[in-house]
Amino acid sequence: MESVEHILEALRGWQVVSPAAGTDTPPAPAHPLLALLFAAPQSSEALADASGWPLPKVLAALTELELDGRIASEAGRWLAIR
């Protein structure tokens, strides 16, 4: 049977290291629609105009982003979730 010290010693490598102070800036959005949505909430049609993508492509991308939990729709406008 192991002692508490043995268990704690084995668990030390699993500690979560907190990020350094001052690195709270979010990473740059990897998806072009996310960059537009971080600027301001927009409708699907406005995103199609701003991105230059056809509306069906925008709607497909919005669906994927929503399923990933990266965006949400409120009152007909899409917004990025930080």
Side-chain angles (χ1 to χ4, degrees):
M1 193 164 201
E2 293 183 310
S3 68
V4 173
E5 287 80 22
H6 287 127
I7 295 170
L8 291 175
E9 185 178 332
L11 292 175
R12 283 200 179 101
W14 292 91
Q15 293 175 343
V16 176
V17 178
S18 62
T23 59
D24 293 322
T25 57
H31 197 285
L33 294 183
L34 276 179
L36 295 170
L37 292 173
F38 274 121
Q42 299 189 44
S43 67
S44 302
E45 293 80 8
L47 284 169
D49 287 339
S51 67
W53 292 4
L55 185 58
K57 182 177 177 179
V58 169
L59 294 174
L62 290 172
T63 300
E64 290 178 16
L65 290 169
E66 185 176 28
L67 290 173
D68 288 343
R70 299 174 77 186
I71 63 170
S73 178
E74 290 184 9
R77 295 190 182 261
W78 292 97
L79 55 113
I81 299 173
R82 296 198 185 258

